[in-house]
Amino acid sequence: RAACFASWLIQQYGREALSAGAGVLDVAGGQGDLSWSLTMDFGIPCTLVDPGLRRGGQLKSWQRRALRKSGNEGFAHLPVEFSEKYFGPAAGALSAEAAELPAPPPSPHAELLQRASIVVGLHPDEATEVIVDLALACGRRFAVVPCCVFASKFPNRHLSSGAPV
């Protein structure tokens, strides 16, 4: 799935556009399969934004071997949640401007989002909404392939046939 989505991104936006600025922000990308494909198969810089550190932050053994052979650095991993707290514009910046006060400091990774060519999510679970919201707020392109339906959060959701989702 990651390779298919990576190919689609290349087809839609082009390698040059995706490589611009800080490259692609891969949100809630788990083990980094999409970032791996974009970085290793297409040479596009990526940052995986996911608070989960699988295998202590280490790549899979076959990935480490591939990096050694290729001489590439691979993708960056930022182990934080993709949220307004970490990536949004400075809280209260607009009200401070109106009151002619000094603007509050930006969130720690706001510049990374501003420099990203696109924000993507492949099955990003609960990060889907924040990907769309922050990308729109910052004028960034985004592409999301949603996944599950959160059956436990929406127990009354049913198919048109009446069967539970």
Side-chain angles (χ1 to χ4, degrees), residues 116-145:
S117 62
I118 189 169
V119 182
V120 300
L122 176 60
H123 300 231
D125 296 331
E126 293 169 324
T128 300
E129 187 174 357
V130 75
I131 290 171
V132 173
D133 291 346
L134 283 176
L136 287 173
C138 294
R140 299 290 89 198
R141 289 185 264 201
F142 64 92
V144 176
V145 177

Short mmCIF file of all heavy atoms in Angstrom, two decimals, residues 116-145:
data_model
loop_
_atom_site.label_atom_id
_atom_site.label_comp_id
_atom_site.label_asym_id
_atom_site.label_seq_id
_atom_site.Cartn_x
_atom_site.Cartn_y
_atom_site.Cartn_z
N ALA A 116 7.16 22.27 4.62
CA ALA A 116 6.83 20.99 3.99
C ALA A 116 6.20 21.21 2.62
O ALA A 116 5.44 22.16 2.42
CB ALA A 116 5.88 20.20 4.88
N SER A 117 6.50 20.31 1.71
CA SER A 117 5.87 20.39 0.39
C SER A 117 4.44 19.87 0.44
O SER A 117 3.58 20.35 -0.31
CB SER A 117 6.68 19.58 -0.63
OG SER A 117 6.72 18.21 -0.26
N ILE A 118 4.20 18.93 1.32
CA ILE A 118 2.87 18.31 1.44
C ILE A 118 2.83 17.56 2.77
O ILE A 118 3.85 17.11 3.28
CB ILE A 118 2.59 17.36 0.26
CG1 ILE A 118 1.13 16.88 0.26
CG2 ILE A 118 3.56 16.18 0.26
CD1 ILE A 118 0.72 16.15 -1.03
N VAL A 119 1.63 17.43 3.32
CA VAL A 119 1.41 16.64 4.53
C VAL A 119 0.59 15.43 4.09
O VAL A 119 -0.46 15.58 3.46
CB VAL A 119 0.64 17.43 5.60
CG1 VAL A 119 0.46 16.60 6.86
CG2 VAL A 119 1.33 18.75 5.91
N VAL A 120 1.08 14.24 4.39
CA VAL A 120 0.39 13.03 3.96
C VAL A 120 0.11 12.11 5.13
O VAL A 120 0.79 12.15 6.15
CB VAL A 120 1.19 12.26 2.88
CG1 VAL A 120 1.41 13.13 1.65
CG2 VAL A 120 2.51 11.77 3.42
N GLY A 121 -0.91 11.30 4.95
CA GLY A 121 -1.23 10.29 5.95
C GLY A 121 -1.77 9.05 5.27
O GLY A 121 -2.74 9.13 4.50
N LEU A 122 -1.11 7.94 5.48
CA LEU A 122 -1.57 6.65 4.96
C LEU A 122 -2.10 5.86 6.14
O LEU A 122 -1.34 5.42 7.00
CB LEU A 122 -0.41 5.90 4.29
CG LEU A 122 -0.71 4.49 3.78
CD1 LEU A 122 -1.81 4.51 2.73
CD2 LEU A 122 0.54 3.84 3.22
N HIS A 123 -3.41 5.77 6.20
CA HIS A 123 -4.08 5.11 7.33
C HIS A 123 -3.68 5.79 8.65
O HIS A 123 -3.20 5.12 9.57
CB HIS A 123 -3.76 3.63 7.37
CG HIS A 123 -4.18 2.89 6.16
ND1 HIS A 123 -4.93 1.74 6.20
CD2 HIS A 123 -3.98 3.14 4.85
CE1 HIS A 123 -5.15 1.32 4.98
NE2 HIS A 123 -4.59 2.15 4.14
N PRO A 124 -3.88 7.11 8.75
CA PRO A 124 -3.38 7.83 9.92
C PRO A 124 -4.29 7.77 11.16
O PRO A 124 -4.04 8.50 12.12
CB PRO A 124 -3.26 9.27 9.41
CG PRO A 124 -4.34 9.37 8.39
CD PRO A 124 -4.40 8.02 7.73
N ASP A 125 -5.30 6.94 11.13
CA ASP A 125 -6.19 6.79 12.28
C ASP A 125 -6.72 8.15 12.74
O ASP A 125 -7.20 8.92 11.94
CB ASP A 125 -5.50 6.04 13.43
CG ASP A 125 -5.15 4.61 13.07
OD1 ASP A 125 -5.85 4.02 12.24
OD2 ASP A 125 -4.16 4.09 13.60
N GLU A 126 -6.58 8.43 14.02
CA GLU A 126 -7.17 9.65 14.58
C GLU A 126 -6.44 10.92 14.17
O GLU A 126 -6.91 12.02 14.46
CB GLU A 126 -7.23 9.53 16.09
CG GLU A 126 -8.21 8.44 16.51
CD GLU A 126 -8.10 8.10 17.99
OE1 GLU A 126 -6.99 8.12 18.52
OE2 GLU A 126 -9.15 7.81 18.57
N ALA A 127 -5.34 10.82 13.48
CA ALA A 127 -4.63 12.01 13.02
C ALA A 127 -5.23 12.57 11.72
O ALA A 127 -4.83 13.65 11.28
CB ALA A 127 -3.15 11.70 12.81
N THR A 128 -6.18 11.88 11.13
CA THR A 128 -6.76 12.32 9.86
C THR A 128 -7.26 13.75 9.92
O THR A 128 -6.91 14.58 9.09
CB THR A 128 -7.90 11.37 9.43
OG1 THR A 128 -7.37 10.06 9.28
CG2 THR A 128 -8.53 11.82 8.13
N GLU A 129 -8.07 14.05 10.91
CA GLU A 129 -8.67 15.38 11.01
C GLU A 129 -7.63 16.47 11.22
O GLU A 129 -7.68 17.52 10.58
CB GLU A 129 -9.68 15.41 12.15
CG GLU A 129 -10.46 16.70 12.22
CD GLU A 129 -11.57 16.68 13.25
OE1 GLU A 129 -11.78 15.64 13.90
OE2 GLU A 129 -12.23 17.72 13.42
N VAL A 130 -6.66 16.23 12.07
CA VAL A 130 -5.65 17.26 12.33
C VAL A 130 -4.73 17.46 11.12
O VAL A 130 -4.26 18.57 10.89
CB VAL A 130 -4.86 16.96 13.63
CG1 VAL A 130 -3.87 15.84 13.45
CG2 VAL A 130 -4.16 18.21 14.12
N ILE A 131 -4.51 16.43 10.33
CA ILE A 131 -3.75 16.60 9.08
C ILE A 131 -4.45 17.61 8.20
O ILE A 131 -3.84 18.57 7.72
CB ILE A 131 -3.58 15.26 8.33
CG1 ILE A 131 -2.64 14.33 9.08
CG2 ILE A 131 -3.09 15.49 6.90
CD1 ILE A 131 -2.59 12.92 8.52
N VAL A 132 -5.73 17.40 8.00
CA VAL A 132 -6.51 18.30 7.13
C VAL A 132 -6.57 19.70 7.73
O VAL A 132 -6.31 20.70 7.05
CB VAL A 132 -7.93 17.73 6.91
CG1 VAL A 132 -8.80 18.72 6.15
CG2 VAL A 132 -7.86 16.40 6.17
N ASP A 133 -6.88 19.80 9.02
CA ASP A 133 -7.03 21.11 9.67
C ASP A 133 -5.74 21.92 9.64
O ASP A 133 -5.75 23.10 9.28
CB ASP A 133 -7.50 20.95 11.12
CG ASP A 133 -8.93 20.45 11.22
OD1 ASP A 133 -9.66 20.48 10.21
OD2 ASP A 133 -9.32 20.03 12.33
N LEU A 134 -4.62 21.33 10.05
CA LEU A 134 -3.36 22.08 10.10
C LEU A 134 -2.84 22.39 8.70
O LEU A 134 -2.29 23.47 8.46
CB LEU A 134 -2.31 21.34 10.91
CG LEU A 134 -2.47 21.43 12.43
CD1 LEU A 134 -1.41 20.59 13.13
CD2 LEU A 134 -2.41 22.86 12.90
N ALA A 135 -3.01 21.46 7.77
CA ALA A 135 -2.57 21.72 6.40
C ALA A 135 -3.35 22.89 5.81
O ALA A 135 -2.76 23.79 5.20
CB ALA A 135 -2.72 20.47 5.54
N LEU A 136 -4.64 22.91 6.01
CA LEU A 136 -5.45 24.03 5.51
C LEU A 136 -5.07 25.33 6.19
O LEU A 136 -4.93 26.37 5.54
CB LEU A 136 -6.94 23.75 5.71
CG LEU A 136 -7.56 22.70 4.79
CD1 LEU A 136 -8.99 22.39 5.22
CD2 LEU A 136 -7.52 23.16 3.33
N ALA A 137 -4.89 25.29 7.50
CA ALA A 137 -4.55 26.50 8.26
C ALA A 137 -3.21 27.09 7.82
O ALA A 137 -3.01 28.30 7.87
CB ALA A 137 -4.53 26.20 9.76
N CYS A 138 -2.30 26.22 7.38
CA CYS A 138 -0.95 26.68 6.99
C CYS A 138 -0.77 26.78 5.49
O CYS A 138 0.34 27.04 5.01
CB CYS A 138 0.09 25.74 7.59
SG CYS A 138 0.12 25.82 9.38
N GLY A 139 -1.83 26.52 4.74
CA GLY A 139 -1.73 26.62 3.28
C GLY A 139 -0.86 25.54 2.66
O GLY A 139 -0.26 25.74 1.62
N ARG A 140 -0.79 24.38 3.28
CA ARG A 140 -0.01 23.26 2.76
C ARG A 140 -0.92 22.30 2.00
O ARG A 140 -2.08 22.11 2.36
CB ARG A 140 0.66 22.46 3.89
CG ARG A 140 1.64 23.20 4.75
CD ARG A 140 2.92 23.57 4.05
NE ARG A 140 2.75 24.86 3.42
CZ ARG A 140 3.51 25.35 2.47
NH1 ARG A 140 4.49 24.68 1.97
NH2 ARG A 140 3.29 26.55 1.97
N ARG A 141 -0.36 21.67 0.99
CA ARG A 141 -1.09 20.60 0.31
C ARG A 141 -1.18 19.41 1.26
O ARG A 141 -0.33 19.26 2.13
CB ARG A 141 -0.36 20.16 -0.95
CG ARG A 141 -0.39 21.17 -2.05
CD ARG A 141 0.25 20.58 -3.26
NE ARG A 141 1.63 21.01 -3.28
CZ ARG A 141 2.38 21.03 -4.35
NH1 ARG A 141 1.91 20.59 -5.48
NH2 ARG A 141 3.62 21.47 -4.30
N PHE A 142 -2.17 18.57 1.04
CA PHE A 142 -2.28 17.36 1.85
C PHE A 142 -2.93 16.26 1.03
O PHE A 142 -3.65 16.53 0.07
CB PHE A 142 -3.07 17.60 3.14
CG PHE A 142 -4.51 17.98 2.94
CD1 PHE A 142 -5.50 17.02 2.91
CD2 PHE A 142 -4.87 19.31 2.77
CE1 PHE A 142 -6.83 17.37 2.72
CE2 PHE A 142 -6.19 19.68 2.58
CZ PHE A 142 -7.17 18.70 2.56
N ALA A 143 -2.62 15.03 1.43
CA ALA A 143 -3.25 13.86 0.82
C ALA A 143 -3.38 12.82 1.92
O ALA A 143 -2.41 12.54 2.63
CB ALA A 143 -2.39 13.32 -0.32
N VAL A 144 -4.58 12.27 2.05
CA VAL A 144 -4.85 11.30 3.12
C VAL A 144 -5.57 10.10 2.53
O VAL A 144 -6.51 10.24 1.75
CB VAL A 144 -5.74 11.93 4.22
CG1 VAL A 144 -6.11 10.90 5.28
CG2 VAL A 144 -5.06 13.13 4.85
N VAL A 145 -5.10 8.93 2.89
CA VAL A 145 -5.81 7.69 2.61
C VAL A 145 -6.34 7.21 3.96
O VAL A 145 -5.59 6.68 4.77
CB VAL A 145 -4.89 6.61 1.98
CG1 VAL A 145 -5.66 5.31 1.78
CG2 VAL A 145 -4.30 7.10 0.68
#
